[in-house]
Amino acid sequence: NAGVTQTPKFQVLKTGQSMTLQCAQDMNHNSMYWYRQDPGMGLRLIYYSASEGTTDKGEVPNGYNVSRLNKREFSLRLESAAPSQTSVYFCASSGETHGDTQYFGPGTRLTVL
Amino acid sequence: QKEVEQDPGPLSVPEGAIVSLNCTYSNSAFQYFMWYRQYSRKGPELLMYTYSSGNKEDGRFTAQVDKSSKYISLFIRDSQPSDSATYLCAMRGGGSYIPTFGRGTSLIVHP
């Protein structure tokens, strides 16, 4: 039981490049989330998906798109990366265990030059 | 004012000390309260989960919720250097399953 997995672990991009961050969970959770974590800012919600086929914007969605590919997988895409998107990105999922409490992946550390 | 306030620290204590970590909040609809531990360069991991008011104990950890004061605490007894991490509080309620996180408190336990 791997929980929540994320790929890649690290990535360096140049301004204007695009990339997709992958997330998968094996806990049969309905809900999945993408956060970014910056020093002094805490966790900020980018997008979330309440169930397969639905996605909604969070607190900081600009510059990002998401796809809920199936129940297990939720990807985050940066179409044209900017230095302001340098951050650590965490995927999380939640289900009925502990009343929808979130379980986090190990994170992707992204640097945009 | 943020919905959830948490002192960022760092909080530095000697090994064996009792640690008290706290969060205050403004939304009276919050009913579910969580504490996460985040080691450096790792993802947050769920430490404690509490519903409504009261205390919950798990080994050296005790979570306390005082809804009348809108104040939650995490106590760590006999603290160890391995407890050195950032501790984030989170809470949700009012029909939303999206939690609101505090910014985290950095704890350093020195031998």
Side-chain angles (χ1 to χ4, degrees), chain A residues 98-99 101-102, chain B residues 3-4 23-36 46-56 63-74 88-94 99-101:
Chain A
H98 290 148
T101 300
Q102 295 180 337
Chain B
E3 256 189 319
V4 177
C23 288
T24 59
Y25 63 95
S26 57
N27 188 343
S28 58
F30 287 148
Q31 294 176 291
Y32 298 87
F33 303 91
M34 289 74 72
W35 285 97
Y36 287 83
L46 181 66
L47 198 57
M48 300 284 281
Y49 164 80
T50 311
Y51 172 70
S52 193
S53 282
N55 292 359
K56 185 174 183 179
Q64 196 172 78
V65 175
D66 182 350
K67 291 188 71 178
S68 62
S69 301
K70 298 190 181 68
Y71 189 90
I72 70 170
S73 300
L74 178 70
L88 299 100
C89 64
M91 46 199 80
R92 69 176 184 88
T100 299
F101 283 86

